[in-house]
Amino acid sequence: MAFGFIGTGSMGRNLIEAFIRSKKMRPSQILIHNRTRDKAEQLTRHFPGIRIMKNNRSLVAESNLFFLCIKPGEFRSVLDEIQDEVRREQIVVSITSPVMIRDLEEWLPAKIAKVIPSISHAVLSGNSLFIPGNRLTITDREELWDLFSGISQPVQIREEHARIASDLASCSPAFFAKLLEQWANAAVNETDIPKETAFILVNQMVQGLSRLLEEGDFTLQSLQERVAVPGGVTREGLHLLEQRVDPVFQELIRLTHTKYEKDIQKVQQSLNTPLHEKR
């Protein structure tokens, strides 16, 4: 079984490293190509056995399953390049949410899936968002599910929920890292606590919170109830957060959805521009 990766940027590299760490793939099974060769070479230095292909066409020709780990604006040129090499029996996995499965199925004869990953796969955790295309067989779906089960907990979603599910599963690590950074900085600015101490406390708190939710039989709601006793300082803090933070998250969702719709329109305009006769 040969696995190809077109694009070895941040998320492409994250997937490759996670699959190797989970032993779902061996380096010798992995073929890669990246527009910037240096990024590909960095991977081969870390994982001897990975092969750098001379172009995307040669990668597709030798792959049973390949991943499109590229930006939305790069899809037209890549699809133009590989279209004639793609085979019906191949599985193509896109990790780019604004590129619709129906558009990929128009361009490529292969079996298509969209699987949106998360940075948390680096520690073999988090959710991968699984959206199967119409051509996948039951066996194909099971094999993909098993593959991603090694690095995550897959969740099947409908494509129309890709944006909000991505907000919750894929973007949230960055969003909440920012909130925690601001929380620690506020503590430093409002008191004389050393910055190093504040960040140690916040980092350890996050690790403990994760274990409470995973191992301690807590839900988000029950944890709040346990900590925030009536009349206590935590309860007052929760009231403030409800008043101030709720509107921010609603605005955040509106922002990501607006950007997502614009990205979809740009991709579809690019793919429908008659510069190349599609099969």
Side-chain angles (χ1 to χ4, degrees):
M1 185 74 169
F3 301 97
F5 290 82
I6 297 178
T8 58
S10 177
M11 196 52 69
R13 181 186 179 112
N14 187 52
L15 279 176
I16 291 170
E17 292 178 342
F19 284 131
I20 292 175
R21 182 179 177 187
S22 68
K23 302 188 186 309
K24 285 296 182 179
M25 296 180 189
R26 300 187 305 275
S28 59
Q29 294 178 290
I30 297 174
L31 315 173
I32 63 175
H33 182 264
N34 193 70
R35 187 173 55 182
T36 305
R37 186 177 174 86
D38 180 61
K39 289 184 178 180
E41 290 177 343
Q42 289 176 24
L43 274 169
T44 61
R45 289 194 290 270
H46 281 87
F47 303 105
I50 291 178
R51 284 195 291 156
I52 300 176
M53 307 305 288
K54 64 180 181 180
N55 54 44
N56 291 326
R57 288 176 62 85
S58 60
L59 180 147
V60 170
E62 295 194 35
S63 299
N64 302 104
L65 182 159
F66 66 89
F67 294 81
L68 296 171
C69 305
I70 54 179
K71 297 176 181 178
E74 299 173 354
F75 265 79
R76 177 57 186 261
S77 61
V78 170
L79 293 178
D80 262 325
E81 180 185 358
I82 69 174
Q83 187 183 48
D84 293 335
E85 287 290 344
V86 176
R87 306 182 300 277
R88 293 184 183 277
E89 70 272 16
Q90 285 178 307
I91 296 176
V92 181
V93 179
S94 169
I95 69 167
T96 310
S97 59
V99 181
M100 300 292 103
I101 287 177
R102 65 177 181 271
D103 292 323
L104 292 174
E105 288 180 338
E106 286 183 9
W107 274 83
L108 304 176
K111 297 177 280 189
I112 309 295
K114 185 188 295 186
V115 184
I116 302 170
S118 167
I119 187 64
S120 55
H121 301 347
V123 290
L124 309 185
S125 185
N127 294 119
S128 51
L129 308 177
F130 181 65
I131 310 169
N134 295 319
R135 298 174 189 157
L136 289 176
T137 66
I138 293 176
T139 299
D140 296 330
R141 295 185 186 206
E142 290 174 348
E143 290 177 352
L144 274 178
W145 193 273
D146 178 71
L147 184 65
F148 277 89
S149 292
I151 66 171
S152 65
Q153 182 175 329
V155 175
Q156 184 167 332
I157 64 169
R158 300 202 303 268
E159 193 168 29
E160 59 264 35
H161 293 156
R163 180 63 265 151
I164 188 59
S166 296
D167 287 345
L168 297 172
S170 300
C171 300
S172 284
F175 293 154
F176 280 90
K178 182 63 175 178
L179 289 173
L180 292 167
E181 180 187 34
Q182 291 180 310
W183 176 228
N185 283 331
V188 173
N189 293 334
E190 293 294 327
T191 72
D192 62 355
I193 190 171
K195 185 172 184 177
E196 180 181 358
T197 302
F199 276 83
I200 288 173
L201 293 173
V202 168
N203 287 336
Q204 291 297 317
M205 177 277 297
V206 173
Q207 294 180 41
L209 173 61
S210 176
R211 293 189 63 182
L212 284 170
L213 293 173
E214 185 175 2
E215 305 170 16
D217 294 326
F218 281 99
T219 65
L220 295 175
Q221 184 62 43
S222 66
L223 192 147
Q224 293 176 64
E225 293 172 354
R226 176 70 68 88
V227 178
V229 297
V233 65
T234 305
R235 179 63 64 186
E236 291 298 315
L238 289 176
H239 286 323
L240 177 64
L241 290 174
E242 289 170 358
Q243 295 170 10
R244 303 287 181 86
V245 176
D246 284 1
V248 170
F249 282 123
Q250 293 169 11
E251 184 177 353
L252 179 61
I253 290 171
R254 289 193 292 268
L255 182 150
T256 60
H257 279 63
T258 298
K259 175 67 164 60
Y260 180 62
E261 292 298 327
K262 290 180 179 178
D263 287 344
I264 290 175
Q265 292 175 10
K266 288 180 181 178
V267 170
Q268 293 188 333
Q269 182 179 10
S270 172
L271 295 181
N272 291 328
T273 300
L275 297 177
H276 183 89
E277 185 176 348
K278 296 179 287 183
R279 60 170 73 187

